[in-house]
Amino acid sequence: MKILAIETSCDETAICLLEATEGADGVSFSILGNITHSQVPDHQPYGGVFPALAKREHIKNLPIVLEQVLREVRSEKTEDNQKIDYICVTSGPGLEPALWTGIVFAKELGEKWGVPVVPVNHMEGHILSVIVPELTSDFSLLTSSLQFPALALLISGGHTELVLVKDIGDYEIIGKTVDDAVGEAFDKVARILGLPYPGGPEVSRLANLFTGENKATFPRPMLHSKDFNFSFSGLKTAVLYYVRDLLGVNETLTEEQKASVAHEFQEAAAEVLSAKTKKAVEEFGAQTLIVAGGVSANARIKEKLLEECSEFIEPKNIHFPARELTGDNALMIALAGYFKIKKSPDVVYHDIKADGNLSL
Ligand code: KG4
Ligand code: ZN
């Protein structure tokens, strides 16, 4: 089965052509073409994603990226081998004007090629991104590595969620942020420190430079709350006030001061994320832990999650995506689409709509 997947929920225009082959040992996948065009340089002057610009850039780039993907494929395989069976497209959550560009493009291609279009939940894509061991062209589904119930910690610019994964396609959100997402907090702290967008990698780079004793102390919001929810808005405000006080004394922050703020902020974020995740792993008897989304690229957060959760779950059952798949990409949408199609092969999706707040 060949799936063309399209992802335009935020600031990446991504298309993937994935082939799934079912055999006696399960399913194996070949990535026939996979391109992610990042709009980060376009949004950088605005210090964040500007939805109208994202929409315009997706409309401009979708045909170009499709042509590049098909060219990649053509150079490897013969033309008549390329019948596409399904088109999968992210329908939410995300920025609605951006989501619509992918949906309209998918529908037009579906009509032109006479191929069904299947809507996919972006967060399910992030969960399934961990089953790709590395971004090589062929991989098998390591079903044995995903044992259920699994727990997924989804950490990105728009989401911070703990999801109980009873099976692929069967999800229950057991906790989430009550205000900002953790990636959003990283981006806001970066802005406070005068670092460019996207701030996560910048804050993390600075934090990792810090050594010694830290004078900055920030709160660990909701660390001891009885639920599985998170809060990052107060932490960001604590950073803002701390920096404001420092600036009352000095004109600008020294690199050392910036690094200490980044370090303490990252420690606070890593501590609450890992403590809540550990508690959920224990309470729900999770057999597998999945950590995905843009913030799962953060080395300190990974380290802290491994350290805390390995008390209840073997490290070999703790999965992070390959580096290239932590951020938004279309390969994860193709995978989520594959499982959705397998589960309900006869469903026809009429009238696919963008839903910015689509839940799992
Ligand atoms: O999943 P993603 O690419 O897009 C959304 O769906 O939101 O996540 C982007 C977020 C941004 O907030 C970015 O700053 C954050 O992930 N991020 C990081 C790191 N790399 C990306 N945050 C902390 N540490 C990182 N190394
Ligand atoms: Zn995402």
Side-chain angles (χ1 to χ4, degrees):
M1 181 200 297
K2 287 202 185 76
I3 295 175
L4 184 87
I6 300 169
E7 155 64 38
T8 61
S9 68
C10 192
D11 58 352
E12 319 282 351
T13 313
I15 299 184
C16 173
L17 183 58
L18 184 73
E19 179 166 26
T21 310
E22 280 144 34
D25 305 336
V27 55
S28 60
F29 297 98
S30 293
I31 304 168
L32 303 181
N34 185 41
I35 292 181
T36 304
H37 173 85
S38 172
Q39 295 179 7
V40 163
D42 304 303
H43 296 281
Q44 234 153 15
Y46 302 93
V49 181
F50 184 29
L53 178 63
K55 174 180 169 179
R56 202 173 69 209
E57 286 296 306
H58 285 311
I59 292 172
K60 187 179 92 196
N61 290 320
L62 276 165
I64 301 170
V65 175
L66 176 66
E67 182 48 35
Q68 286 169 342
V69 168
L70 295 180
R71 207 182 311 137
E72 242 179 46
V73 176
R74 267 186 232 122
S75 66
E76 290 205 3
K77 311 249 168 167
T78 57
E79 189 102 17
D80 59 323
N81 215 3
Q82 293 316 317
K83 162 99 182 67
I84 287 160
D85 301 288
Y86 292 91
I87 297 171
C88 293
V89 62
T90 306
S91 62
L95 300 170
E96 281 189 11
L99 288 163
W100 272 118
T101 65
I103 293 172
V104 168
F105 190 73
K107 283 184 183 170
E108 281 172 7
L109 275 184
E111 252 169 53
K112 189 167 128 195
W113 293 345
V115 170
V117 181
V118 177
V120 169
N121 184 308
H122 180 84
M123 302 315 287
E124 183 171 21
H126 274 303
I127 292 177
L128 291 170
S129 67
V130 302
I131 67 178
V132 185
E134 55 184 311
L135 207 57
T136 47
S137 58
D138 295 313
F139 61 96
S140 297
L141 175 61
L142 305 168
T143 26
S144 58
S145 68
L146 286 191
Q147 288 164 15
F148 303 104
L151 186 78
L153 172 68
L154 302 179
I155 39 181
S156 69
H159 289 82
T160 302
E161 285 176 353
L162 272 170
V163 181
L164 184 63
V165 183
K166 297 170 203 163
D167 201 346
I168 293 178
D170 188 357
Y171 309 105
E172 184 191 339
I173 297 173
I174 58 162
K176 61 181 176 179
T177 180
V178 297
D179 42 53
D180 291 353
V182 62
E184 190 180 350
F186 266 92
D187 294 336
K188 286 178 177 168
V189 167
R191 221 173 296 161
I192 295 168
L193 296 176
L195 302 168
Y197 174 84
E202 293 289 327
V203 170
S204 164
R205 186 185 54 77
L206 254 188
N208 299 342
L209 291 178
F210 186 81
T211 51
E213 206 161 311
N214 206 331
K215 290 206 197 89
T217 47
F218 300 141
R220 271 64 174 155
M222 298 183 77
L223 182 63
H224 301 296
S225 71
K226 299 232 173 323
D227 54 22
F228 296 103
N229 290 336
F230 302 94
S231 164
F232 291 98
S233 163
L235 174 57
K236 167 210 68 193
T237 309
V239 173
L240 182 68
Y241 290 161
Y242 183 82
V243 170
R244 212 179 262 176
D245 287 347
L246 283 181
L247 286 175
V249 183
N250 308 310
E251 283 281 288
T252 52
L253 296 191
T254 63
E255 284 305 300
E256 170 83 6
Q257 284 172 325
K258 282 189 193 174
S260 79
V261 168
H263 182 269
E264 172 62 5
F265 165 76
Q266 182 172 267
E267 284 305 302
E271 197 174 325
V272 283
L273 288 170
S274 58
K276 283 279 162 89
T277 305
K278 177 183 180 177
K279 197 168 100 154
V281 165
E282 185 185 10
E283 185 156 327
F284 290 90
Q287 305 290 304
T288 305
L289 174 64
I290 294 164
V291 184
V295 184
S296 70
N298 185 290
R300 177 61 184 141
I301 292 176
K302 280 167 86 165
E303 179 184 62
K304 191 89 178 132
L305 279 162
L306 273 168
E307 200 178 288
E308 292 290 325
C309 298
S310 53
E311 190 181 327
F312 298 112
I313 215 161
E314 275 185 78
K316 74 172 174 53
N317 293 327
I318 301 181
H319 300 286
F320 300 92
R323 180 68 192 84
E324 303 87 339
L325 298 177
T326 55
D328 294 342
N329 63 88
L331 172 54
M332 68 184 198
I333 302 305
L335 285 169
Y338 169 79
F339 289 105
K340 186 165 180 173
I341 293 160
K342 289 305 289 178
K343 202 170 173 186
S344 321
D346 301 323
V347 176
V348 179
Y349 299 91
H350 298 288
D351 206 18
I352 300 170
K353 287 192 172 69
D355 180 353
N357 297 316
L358 185 66
S359 182
L360 273 172

